[in-house]
Amino acid sequence: MSDEMRRTVRTAVQWVVSVAAALPAIVSAAGVPEALPGVALGLGVAAAITRVMALDVVDALLPGWLRKAPAEDGDQALSKEGGR
């Protein structure tokens, strides 16, 4: 599986989990101001899942087809320089 496809699948999983967490609050809200906590919850969960899935420990727990691709030599040099 290509690296782009892995990233797409991981993003889709993160999105589904975050929407599922926020859905009860969004459904029970009648108006936009009342829905704000639900939207904030969804964004918070999405951010947390994204951060956790970026950890090497979590990546090692994922199935092989969903793990991050190994970094290339050029990518490692960029990360050592601080992304420049």
Side-chain angles (χ1 to χ4, degrees):
M1 179 180 293
S2 70
D3 190 44
E4 291 81 17
M5 183 56 114
R6 283 187 191 103
R7 282 186 265 162
T8 301
V9 170
R10 289 166 63 111
T11 301
V13 168
Q14 294 164 4
W15 183 83
V16 167
V17 171
S18 64
V19 168
L23 197 56
I26 293 171
V27 169
S28 67
V32 174
E34 295 173 3
L36 189 58
V39 173
L41 175 67
L43 291 174
V45 170
I49 291 171
T50 300
R51 179 64 188 117
V52 168
M53 287 188 73
L55 297 173
D56 291 334
V57 174
V58 174
D59 192 54
L61 295 173
L62 295 173
W65 59 270
L66 195 53
R67 291 184 187 145
K68 293 185 280 190
E72 297 178 11
D73 291 337
D75 292 342
Q76 290 176 349
L78 285 177
S79 64
K80 289 179 184 176
E81 295 175 7
R84 291 183 227 149

